Structure formats: structure tokens, C-alpha cells
Amino acid sequence: MTDAILDARKSGSFDLVEKEIFNTIEQAELSLVRFQENRESGEDLQNCIDCLNQLRGIFTLIELQGGTVLCQEIIAIANEVPVGASEDKNSLLASLSQAIFVLNRYIEYYERRREDHPELLLSVINRLRLVRKAKALPDSYFFDIGIPRLPPFGLQDEIPSRTFEYRVRRM
């Protein structure tokens, strides 16, 4: 399938859930604000996490790679914020707020351009990973060079002679 057909499919799928995406992002933001005002409200924090999980699922279904990975990282940060978070967790909450803001802007960008460019989110994703003390993703993380991945010869018991001859000629 060509990239144009795949982009058209993504775009059509996005149109079906666009309103739900923006409503869910807004709900996540509101829940986070309520939690920041009352840090004993575990329900608000959980509601924010639930909204982010819903968004991640939507992005996975419509194959919006940038949104999916960013949501995964936001959820990981949100899960590190305890109910009753003290002042020492302000940096986590600030990172969480900024990431949700960036997610909203990225979705607006996608809505206008209908192009998924997850590499634009790499610096934000890596900042979130560093806050969690996780290893940063490499610059090439979102690039697929389109080389088919064949299993090594040693992992198969027997290779049909045609396949073997084809591979030898290619090499």
C-alpha cells in the first residue's frame, strides 16, 4: 500500500474520533488541574491517567505513532505522581502539564496537516524519559528504512533451496 493511501486511511479514521480526542485531552487537563489544586484527590489523578490511556488506545487504533508514544511517556510520568504529592513532586507535575499541552498542540498540527511526524515530539519524549531516569530514545527511533527483517539462518532448521538461492544472489 502506498503512503498516500495509508495517510488517507489515517485521516479518515482521525475524522471519526477527532471530537472525542479533543474532549478527552480537555478532560485530562481539567483532572490534572483539579489534582494540582487538591493533591489528596486520587480520583482526579486517576481520571487523568484513565483519559491518557484512552487517548493512547485511540492513537494506536488510528496509527498515530507520535501521539501513541507521547501518551505512553505521559502515562509513565503520571504513574510516578503519588496521591498527596508534596512540593518535591512539582517538577513531575510541571512535566506532566507541559507534555499534555504539547500533545494537544501536536493533535492540532495533525488536524491541519494530516501528517504524522513523530520525530517532532522526540525532544519532549526524551525530556519525559529523563525525568523518569529512563534511557533517551535515539534520534532514529521513528525512522523506518524499509529493509525487511529476515531471521538469521541459524534460527531455522532448514531453508528451502529456492529461498537460499534467492538470498545468496541478493547478497
Side-chain angles (χ1 to χ4, degrees), residues 52 55-56 59 66-76 103:
L52 293 167
L55 287 167
R56 180 184 57 185
F59 296 145
T68 302
V69 175
L70 183 56
C71 273
Q72 289 170 345
E73 294 303 325
I74 296 172
I75 291 166
L103 177 65

Side-chain angles (χ1 to χ4, degrees), residues 4-166:
I5 293 172
L6 289 174
D7 287 342
R9 276 194 183 163
K10 273 190 205 178
S11 181
S13 298
F14 180 81
D15 290 338
L16 294 173
V17 293
E18 177 180 2
K19 191 173 184 178
E20 182 66 25
I21 289 171
F22 285 112
N23 288 339
T24 307
I25 290 174
E26 184 179 337
Q27 284 297 321
E29 288 174 328
L30 291 173
S31 295
L32 181 60
V33 167
R34 284 193 304 266
F35 176 76
Q36 289 175 331
E37 292 170 354
N38 177 15
R39 295 188 183 185
E40 296 300 323
S41 176
E43 184 178 320
D44 287 324
L45 180 60
Q46 188 58 50
N47 187 42
C48 178
I49 293 170
D50 291 345
C51 288
L52 293 167
N53 273 314
Q54 182 178 349
L55 287 167
R56 180 184 57 185
I58 291 169
F59 296 145
T60 299
L61 285 173
I62 64 173
E63 299 177 358
L64 194 62
Q65 188 178 20
T68 302
V69 175
L70 183 56
C71 273
Q72 289 170 345
E73 294 303 325
I74 296 172
I75 291 166
I77 289 285
N79 282 323
E80 291 194 13
V81 176
V83 174
S86 58
E87 297 296 316
D88 66 325
K89 299 297 181 182
N90 284 348
S91 63
L92 278 177
L93 290 169
S95 296
L96 188 56
S97 294
Q98 290 170 351
I100 291 173
F101 176 80
V102 169
L103 177 65
N104 200 10
R105 299 294 83 76
Y106 185 73
I107 298 308
E108 288 173 354
Y109 165 82
Y110 182 80
E111 177 187 31
R112 280 191 303 268
R113 300 286 303 268
R114 301 300 171 140
E115 296 174 357
D116 186 19
H117 290 287
E119 63 274 7
L120 297 174
L121 299 172
L122 191 59
S123 64
V124 174
I125 290 167
N126 281 335
R127 277 196 306 264
L128 292 172
R129 292 179 65 83
L130 291 176
V131 166
R132 292 189 305 112
K133 296 177 178 58
K135 186 178 174 186
L137 299 177
D139 290 341
S140 61
Y141 183 79
F142 291 110
F143 292 102
D144 180 23
I145 57 175
I147 296 175
R149 295 187 177 134
L150 301 173
F153 288 115
L155 294 180
Q156 295 177 345
D157 292 333
E158 185 178 313
I159 298 174
S161 60
R162 285 186 176 169
T163 303
F164 179 76
E165 289 172 13
Y166 172 75

